[in-house]
Amino acid sequence: MVATVLRLRYRILGNTLARNPWQLVGFCFGMLWAVSALALVGSGSFALAASGDLALVRTVAIVAGAALLLGWVVGPLLIAGADTTVDAAKLATFPLTTRQLMAVLTGTGLSGIPGIATMVAALLSVLMWSPWPIAAVVAIPCVVIAVLTCVVASRLATALSTGLGGNRRGRELVGTLVLAVVVFAGPILSGAVALLSGAGGFAAQLEQVARVLAWTPLAAVWAVPGDVAAGDLLAAGLRLTIALATLAAVAVAWRAALVRSTEAPPRRAARVVASGRLGLIGVMPTGGVGATWARSLRGWLRDPRYVRQLIFVPLFPLLFAFTGGIEGFLFSASAVLVALVLCIAGYSDISYDGTAFASILATGIRGREDRLGRALGAASVGIPLVVLVGVVTAVVGGRAAQLPATLGAALGLVLAGYGVCAVSSALLVAPVAAPGDSPFKSVPGQTFLSGLMVFVVMGACLVLALPGIILAIVALTTGSAALGWAALLGGIVVGVAVTVVGIVVGGRTLDRTGPDLLLRIRSFPTG
């Protein structure tokens, strides 16, 4: 049964790569990364074995093992997205028991590039224990337990990030909370590095960290061979017990999540409103621009795919205050970095409409009205947030004199982004997550090229906003108040000009490409 599912998984992968050349390029890059990582692990294991330093080998094994487990839990969510080629939702309709379902999902986790690379790397790590033959023998079952724990923990994290089934709002809430935790992982790691660089030197601090990690579920299994090599069999037994208990606990939690997700599948959320209540559409101006403005603003306020992008607005100053203090440059420049995130938020705005874009085309709304309405919707949220972040960071950091220059760069960038996105979203559509999906889910049909287009759009925004940015940099460098106000005026003027041109050009483009965009959206794979 597991072999049959794996064959189907590889057939799907082969067909996908055959249809999408750019996805094949991304797959090849992944293979190259895996080979280079394995070469590094193998050479490092030989070097550690040649050193014969038991304390060093133990420290490296424990810290690297803990990092591997964290990487398996956080990495797929943060970088590549959870692999949904074969998941519980797709297998729920088949006559599989929960145990069989867990076996299938574990097998698919082990048979992907990360799984294969992890298994080979774990076996290569056994080489570092070669000076102590008994420890090397004990290390083999230990790495098997460690790899299984990585895969099962990763599957549990994926199940939690999708909200454990239930209604759409619950999935959105859990997914957003997980995303916030992932974002906050940066300051935690920065704090750990700062701690290790403190008194006693990096090596001494790292050894102390390894002693603590050796008694935690993160790395207990990786400490067992070192205990055997040192002759401490009691500690080895206790740590092996911790490792087995960890694997069992994670498997039980994952089983519960699978049962919950299959017994309570995602259901549509619905609510009843009073007759005649139109929300923002009843408040905003009538006509094509007003209706589009209201619909776009509602999306920015309620659609989790937009709201998740706004999470970074308060997190940027918090992260920079944590890592560099409120006196640091990055804290003062938080508004510019927030603008950089918000300026590309709508680079493929029509993709979020999905097949509902057909209803927009059916109304006969002009492209220019659509472009202006979407820009006003984004600006109604983005510009106040950028100004708020700029004012708060300037006041808290004691740099009120630099506020005009900072706002000039930030507002120029976000306004230029609205102009660029007005054109790019009339040309580009890409597969996007459904409204209730996890923010970490891999979307079928996404390609390496579509990922690169985000950076192309970002580059265009930066180039068009350069006048305001350059004036702001000169003003901040020289401390000139006059140049600061010039940067604010220049950034706004140039940004508004770019927005106007983008709306005109994007409107004409959308009038021509609208039906073709709808056909491409309909052709995207689902699931």
Side-chain angles (χ1 to χ4, degrees):
M1 178 268 301
V2 176
T4 300
V5 175
L6 292 181
R7 283 197 298 270
L8 291 175
R9 184 256 181 96
Y10 283 122
R11 179 171 295 180
I12 293 172
L13 176 62
N15 292 339
T16 301
L17 296 179
R19 290 196 310 266
N20 301 290
W22 283 104
Q23 196 160 349
L24 177 61
V25 172
F27 180 81
C28 292
F29 274 110
M31 293 287 292
L32 290 175
W33 172 87
V35 171
S36 61
L38 290 177
L40 181 63
V41 171
S43 59
S45 297
F46 276 115
L48 289 170
S51 70
D53 188 340
L54 179 59
L56 177 61
V57 173
R58 283 167 56 98
T59 299
V60 171
I62 292 170
V63 174
L68 177 66
L69 179 55
L70 290 174
W72 263 89
V73 173
V74 178
L77 302 180
L78 182 62
I79 300 174
D83 183 6
T84 57
T85 304
V86 178
D87 62 5
K90 291 185 174 68
L91 298 175
T93 56
F94 294 94
L96 299 175
T97 64
T98 304
R99 180 177 298 179
Q100 290 174 323
L101 184 60
M102 294 175 67
V104 168
L105 295 177
T106 302
T108 56
L110 290 171
S111 60
I113 293 180
I116 295 173
T118 299
M119 287 189 293
V120 176
L123 291 175
L124 287 175
S125 69
V126 176
L127 296 174
M128 70 176 68
W129 301 107
S130 55
W132 307 274
I134 298 179
V137 173
V138 172
I140 296 176
C142 288
V143 298
V144 173
I145 297 172
V147 172
L148 286 176
T149 303
C150 289
V151 175
V152 176
S154 177
R155 290 295 184 180
L156 174 61
T158 301
L160 293 176
S161 72
T162 57
L164 300 177
N167 59 36
R168 168 179 157 182
R169 294 300 178 191
R171 299 196 309 275
E172 293 168 355
L173 176 61
V174 173
T176 302
L177 291 176
V178 173
L179 178 61
V181 171
V182 168
V183 172
F184 268 115
I188 296 174
L189 293 176
S190 299
V193 171
L195 177 64
L196 293 177
S197 302
F202 182 82
Q205 293 289 335
L206 193 64
E207 189 172 349
Q208 292 181 12
V209 171
R211 292 196 190 100
V212 175
L213 290 175
W215 290 104
T216 67
L218 287 174
V221 67
W222 295 95
V224 174
D227 293 331
V228 172
D232 193 349
L233 299 182
L234 177 60
L238 292 175
R239 285 171 174 146
L240 182 60
T241 302
I242 294 173
L244 293 173
T246 299
L247 178 58
V250 174
V252 169
W254 181 32
R255 179 186 177 88
L258 287 177
V259 171
R260 174 72 181 274
S261 63
T262 52
E263 290 183 353
R267 59 181 183 270
R268 293 182 179 269
R271 63 190 182 97
V272 179
V273 298
S275 177
R277 294 186 61 183
L278 301 177
L280 290 172
I281 295 180
V283 176
M284 297 301 227
T286 58
V289 175
T292 305
W293 185 358
R295 182 171 53 82
S296 176
L297 182 56
R298 187 178 186 277
W300 277 100
L301 296 177
R302 296 182 61 87
D303 192 329
R305 297 171 297 180
Y306 288 102
V307 174
R308 284 168 187 153
Q309 301 179 60
L310 303 180
I311 290 177
F312 293 96
V313 173
L315 287 188
F316 267 124
L318 290 176
L319 296 181
F320 297 141
F322 184 90
T323 55
I326 60 175
E327 299 84 8
F329 170 76
L330 289 178
F331 180 76
S332 301
S334 295
V336 180
L337 296 175
V338 168
L340 184 61
V341 172
L342 295 181
C343 76
I344 61 169
Y347 89 100
S348 61
D349 210 7
I350 291 177
S351 302
Y352 289 124
D353 293 340
T355 53
F357 182 59
S359 63
I360 299 175
L361 294 178
T363 62
I365 185 174
R366 296 179 61 190
R368 185 181 303 178
E369 295 174 337
D370 179 88
R371 303 290 86 188
L372 178 57
R374 291 178 190 264
L376 288 173
S380 298
V381 176
I383 291 180
L385 287 177
V386 170
V387 173
L388 178 63
V389 171
V391 172
V392 170
T393 53
V395 172
V396 173
R399 293 185 172 90
Q402 299 178 358
L403 179 59
T406 303
L407 286 181
L411 292 176
L413 181 58
V414 75
L415 288 170
Y418 296 149
V420 173
C421 290
V423 178
S424 68
S425 62
L427 294 170
L428 304 171
V429 288
V432 296
D437 281 346
S438 164
F440 307 108
K441 180 179 179 181
S442 288
V443 181
Q446 284 184 337
T447 64
F448 183 69
L449 181 60
S450 63
L452 287 179
M453 290 308 300
V454 178
F455 298 98
V456 173
V457 174
M458 183 183 294
C461 297
L462 288 169
V463 170
L464 293 173
L466 272 180
I469 295 175
I470 292 174
L471 279 174
I473 293 174
V474 175
L476 294 174
T477 303
T478 61
S480 172
L483 283 177
W485 287 104
L488 177 58
L489 180 61
I492 293 176
V493 170
V494 173
V496 170
V498 173
T499 301
V500 171
V501 173
I503 289 172
V504 173
V505 176
R508 293 175 179 173
T509 304
L510 184 60
D511 289 334
R512 185 179 69 255
T513 62
D516 181 61
L517 294 179
L518 178 61
L519 289 176
R520 287 155 61 187
I521 291 174
R522 289 181 181 276
S523 68
F524 290 151
T526 59

